[in-house]
Amino acid sequence: MKSLWSDREAEQFRGDLGLRVYTSRLLGRDKSLVLHGGGNTSVKIREKTLFGEEETILYVKGSGWDLETIEPQGFSPVLLAHVLRLAELPSLSDPEMVNQLVTHMLKAAAPAPSIETILHGLMPQKFVDHTHADAVLSVTNTRDGEKRIREIYGKRCVVIPYLIPGFDLAQFCAKEFRARGTKDTVGMVLLNHGIFSFGETARESYERMIELVTLAEEYLDSKRAWSVSTNHFTAGTADANAQATLRRRLSDTAGAPLILKTAISERTLGFAQHPEIARISQQGPATPDHVIRTKRTPMLGTDVDRYVAEYRRYFGEHAPKAKEPKTMLDPAPRVVLDPAFGLATAGRTAKDTVIVEEIYDHTIDVILRAEALGGFQALAPKDIFDVEYWDLEQAKLKKGGKPQAFSGEVALVTGAASGIGKAAVEAFLARGAAVAGLDVDPRIESLHARPDFVGLRCDVTDDKQVELAIGRAVMAFGGIDMLVLNAGIFTASRKIADLPTEEWRKAMAVNLDANLLLMRICHPFLKLAPHGGRVVVIGSKNVPAPGPGASAYSASKAALNQLARIAALEWGADGIRINTVHPNAVFDTGLWTEEVLLQRAKNYGMTVEEYKTNNVLKTQVGSRDVAELAAEMCGPLFAKTTGAQVPVDGGNERVI
Ligand code: ZN
């Protein structure tokens, strides 16, 4: 492991807190040290109060901040003297400890300080760094982990047996540090949990962390337990239907729609097909810090009932009798290992699935290395339970935000790179849905860089491309709940007498045939949608009120309209709603080139300006207006409506 310290970068950070921010980010940059909110750091700084008195302030990482992206305001400034007084108490409950820390901060708006604050305060050094390094966890999560750790670190680290984070752990560490620390002591290993390093400067503490973790890596390497791979595997199959069926089962179990992300690779298949997978995967996480995100164990295979029964049994066995099952997390697994598709992760948002996947990816490393070293051994179920339960109790104290309208749901939008489609992507993302955007335009692939969006280049008139794209969308999110049929073309204005057959056929292929194909392929997924499938067709004013010179366009949209009406009849029994919006004169779309606009205006004998607001309300209709209505049609407002056609055109005399 290399130090990422750079003098040039460090120059941009001022003072002790600035450098604390810098080296915290360096730790966060290396995912083998800390993952997603894991780990914490602190610095003790002498400051003058308003009254001119000198005080030492302990700046410790606040909850809700990631080391990788932390800012100065991500550190909670706690009065060190108070922390040290608290540490002298014979005992202190967790809620009171949290309360005391929060009420002794210098900034009311600062985040709540880390649960490990008292531990940071008790360490005599100015800078303290704490990580859950993979290499250290690989060594400690073995039968003779403690012996190995002592062999690696000797006098350099004080070794602490596993204790749940909190007041008792902090006191115990301080006592051990006083009793066993020497002038050579630069760190502390918490068995089955992680590692601390200390220093008088930010750089010293950080580089000691790198040095200590490197020692564990070298030790693993010397035992041929560093470069491990899962050698044998047979090819997997990520069957889209099976994935969507599994997601539906998980969503029903969780009581809310979940996203399910499949990660099929040589590595995940090799691990899921490991001959000892049941033994190595069912013990628990690599560090208790991961338990709330991954659950104690992954589900092996796809037998959800068996998993739920086991989870209830585990929870019931350890929970304080009076409180179970009110506090219990929903019993759906968050990690699934299966010989057919490797690894899949479930969560209420796409971001959650990516985080869980990353955590489990590191867990695979830790397990395989510990296996190579002599056998992976996780904490006892009771110890893991205590952390899970504690986390749940803490979560109840926090104000949970209201879930968004489409949390855990998946929308597929065609023609998503521009105009109404692009606006629809935004409207669905804003309501919490994960979105797969299809477009023939390659720019679709980079439309949004976020975990809840996947942009797929696809010609919707090509069966194979459509099947492939839908398969990829299901791999990414687990299903399709909402389908927005938007892709369309407006061929040049032409009278029927002059209309080439080719042009007619092209309009039919894109505006009609492609949508039949999409509906047919998506039907089984829509049927599996946890909240019922929804389809929105972007129709056209030309359906109820066709215009001269637009026969190919109008006829294709009218046929699509009829197709949608029949789908409403046929799919009602499957709980799928299908509704249509009829926009008119939406000029901020790809269809409306300057040339087309001029042509259409001329057809009606108007200027372009007149043509743009040529409606009853004399208003301009934008892509966003149409997209917002399309999204609302998938929401509760339209829960009891199917087969409807709603104009969004500013009012049209011929339609009214
Ligand atoms: Zn920790």
Side-chain angles (χ1 to χ4, degrees):
M1 171 166 292
K2 282 207 166 61
S3 164
L4 302 175
W5 177 278
S6 138
D7 287 333
R8 197 178 47 79
E9 278 178 1
E11 266 173 30
Q12 288 150 40
F13 295 87
R14 295 268 165 261
D16 287 334
L17 185 59
L19 288 167
R20 177 68 286 176
V21 168
Y22 175 55
T23 57
S24 299
R25 288 183 190 173
L26 293 184
L27 292 175
R29 251 193 244 170
D30 192 326
K31 298 290 173 238
S32 74
L33 287 174
V34 288
L35 284 167
H36 307 289
N40 41 59
T41 55
S42 68
V43 58
K44 302 173 187 80
I45 303 176
R46 296 286 291 170
E47 282 179 10
K48 260 209 180 86
T49 66
L50 280 179
F51 309 105
E53 293 152 2
E54 284 251 319
E55 283 277 11
T56 303
I57 310 303
L58 173 65
Y59 284 87
V60 63
K61 195 199 91 162
S63 70
W65 285 84
D66 266 8
L67 289 182
E68 190 180 7
T69 50
I70 200 157
E71 300 283 346
Q73 65 269 27
F75 286 90
S76 318
V78 193
L79 270 177
L80 181 64
H82 191 70
V83 173
L84 297 178
R85 270 194 84 189
L86 289 174
E88 295 300 317
L89 289 169
S91 70
L92 186 61
S93 72
D94 285 336
E96 188 52 44
M97 178 178 76
V98 172
N99 177 56
Q100 286 295 322
L101 294 175
V102 171
T103 54
H104 287 77
M105 294 197 307
L106 263 65
K107 281 198 191 88
S114 157
I115 183 68
E116 277 151 353
T117 298
I118 295 185
L119 177 43
H120 279 264
L122 283 171
M123 293 297 121
Q125 294 82 353
K126 189 175 172 83
F127 287 85
V128 178
D129 293 37
H130 168 49
T131 72
H132 304 137
D134 287 355
V136 174
L137 293 174
S138 301
V139 177
T140 81
N141 280 305
T142 55
R143 213 158 293 119
D144 38 11
E146 180 175 350
K147 203 184 98 216
R148 293 177 189 276
I149 287 291
R150 290 191 191 280
E151 191 185 325
I152 295 169
Y153 295 119
K155 286 180 180 165
R156 306 176 76 154
C157 288
V158 171
V159 180
I160 307 289
Y162 179 79
L163 277 175
I164 189 167
F167 186 71
D168 294 348
L169 173 66
Q171 273 192 332
F172 187 83
C173 289
K175 201 178 82 211
E176 286 294 293
F177 192 82
R178 277 195 295 270
R180 303 186 201 283
T182 68
K183 62 177 180 20
D184 300 321
T185 305
V186 294
M188 190 161 68
V189 174
L190 275 54
L191 296 175
N192 299 88
H193 173 161
I195 182 164
F196 281 80
S197 65
F198 323 114
E200 287 310 315
T201 66
R203 182 175 185 173
E204 183 178 57
S205 185
Y206 166 73
E207 289 195 328
R208 279 176 176 169
M209 175 63 71
I210 301 301
E211 212 179 289
L212 292 173
V213 175
T214 303
L215 287 175
E217 291 181 353
E218 284 168 358
Y219 176 83
L220 286 162
D221 198 38
S222 74
K223 305 283 178 191
R224 296 178 187 222
W226 177 245
S227 304
V228 286
S229 60
T230 53
N231 282 328
H232 305 289
F233 73 95
T234 50
T237 47
D239 177 272
N241 241 301
Q243 299 297 310
T245 306
L246 175 60
R247 168 181 173 250
R248 172 61 191 264
R249 286 282 291 116
L250 297 180
S251 299
D252 289 349
T253 305
L258 295 181
I259 301 290
L260 182 70
K261 179 178 191 295
T262 304
I264 187 166
S265 68
E266 294 185 5
R267 176 179 161 79
T268 60
L269 285 169
F271 188 72
Q273 294 171 12
H274 193 288
E276 305 245 28
I277 189 65
R279 177 178 60 80
I280 61 178
S281 73
Q282 298 300 295
Q283 295 183 33
T287 162
D289 186 50
H290 296 163
V291 72
I292 208 75
R293 292 211 190 256
T294 62
K295 293 267 176 79
R296 186 175 70 92
T297 56
M299 177 168 80
L300 285 183
T302 54
D303 188 343
V304 181
D305 290 335
R306 199 178 65 186
Y307 181 88
V308 170
E310 168 57 25
Y311 184 66
R312 285 190 192 282
R313 194 195 58 70
Y314 151 79
F315 209 95
E317 195 172 294
H318 301 292
K321 289 293 171 262
K323 301 211 173 162
E324 199 269 336
K326 235 163 77 192
T327 316
M328 193 171 80
L329 203 65
D330 75 69
R334 295 299 188 264
V335 180
V336 185
L337 291 167
D338 186 276
F341 55 78
L343 170 72
T345 52
R348 279 292 275 148
T349 65
K351 190 177 168 199
D352 287 344
T353 65
V354 171
I355 290 174
V356 174
E357 184 184 311
E358 198 168 357
I359 288 176
Y360 207 76
D361 193 49
H362 285 267
T363 305
I364 290 176
D365 274 339
V366 171
I367 290 177
L368 292 178
R369 285 174 183 152
E371 274 295 288
L373 200 59
F376 176 68
Q377 190 172 34
L379 274 179
K382 170 70 177 146
D383 287 324
I384 298 169
F385 175 83
D386 288 343
V387 174
E388 180 174 352
Y389 192 75
W390 189 89
D391 273 345
L392 289 168
E393 292 281 303
Q394 288 303 301
K396 279 197 302 186
L397 300 176
K398 286 182 198 145
K399 276 177 271 164
K402 199 169 159 256
Q404 290 177 281
F406 296 153
S407 274
E409 295 202 276
V410 187
L412 188 135
V413 180
T414 67
S418 60
I420 293 171
K422 188 177 170 192
V425 169
E426 276 152 29
F428 281 86
L429 286 174
R431 287 165 173 79
V435 181
L438 273 54
D439 206 298
V440 72
D441 183 340
R443 282 178 305 177
I444 189 67
E445 287 169 354
S446 52
L447 184 62
H448 294 284
R450 44 190 285 176
D452 50 2
F453 177 80
V454 56
L456 301 163
R457 195 175 169 184
C458 172
D459 175 351
V460 288
T461 63
D462 182 321
D463 297 34
K464 285 227 158 50
Q465 287 190 34
V466 171
E467 262 183 62
L468 211 68
I470 287 173
R472 284 181 60 191
V474 175
M475 281 268 284
F477 304 130
I480 295 163
D481 306 319
M482 298 171 281
L483 174 62
V484 181
L485 296 173
N486 165 67
I489 50 165
F490 189 97
T491 41
S493 285
R494 244 191 253 278
K495 297 278 160 55
I496 293 169
D498 307 319
L499 181 66
T501 313
E502 246 342 278
E503 226 162 78
W504 169 267
R505 286 193 178 137
K506 202 176 162 206
M508 289 295 168
V510 179
N511 297 346
L512 180 62
D513 302 356
N515 289 318
L516 169 72
L517 181 68
L518 282 153
M519 284 165 68
R520 198 177 60 212
I521 298 177
C522 288
H523 177 248
F525 302 115
L526 294 167
K527 211 173 144 178
L528 284 166
H531 282 177
R534 284 140 283 167
V535 182
V536 179
V537 174
I538 308 299
S540 167
K541 179 242 26 172
N542 282 33
V543 173
S551 57
Y553 179 76
S554 301
S556 62
K557 285 286 189 181
L560 172 62
N561 195 61
Q562 206 69 346
L563 180 68
R565 295 173 69 196
I566 293 166
L569 293 170
E570 290 185 357
W571 292 358
D574 299 325
I576 303 168
R577 304 189 273 110
I578 177 160
N579 293 300
T580 300
V581 286
H582 287 317
N584 187 35
V586 179
F587 299 107
D588 57 343
T589 74
L591 296 183
W592 291 94
T593 58
E594 278 304 309
E595 190 199 336
V596 175
L597 204 53
L598 265 168
Q599 246 178 20
R600 298 304 303 161
K602 216 171 96 190
N603 262 332
Y604 287 92
M606 297 175 192
T607 66
V608 169
E609 257 336 284
E610 284 167 344
Y611 185 63
K612 276 185 173 178
T613 56
N614 180 29
N615 53 51
V616 172
L617 296 171
K618 297 276 171 250
T619 184
Q620 254 197 64
V621 181
S623 291
R624 199 167 166 269
D625 300 314
V626 184
E628 288 292 314
L629 179 58
E632 282 305 308
M633 279 181 154
C634 294
L637 210 57
F638 280 73
K640 306 198 174 162
T641 301
T642 190
Q645 302 174 44
V646 181
V648 50
D649 57 5
N652 184 292
E653 280 169 10
R654 290 175 58 207
V655 176
I656 293 169

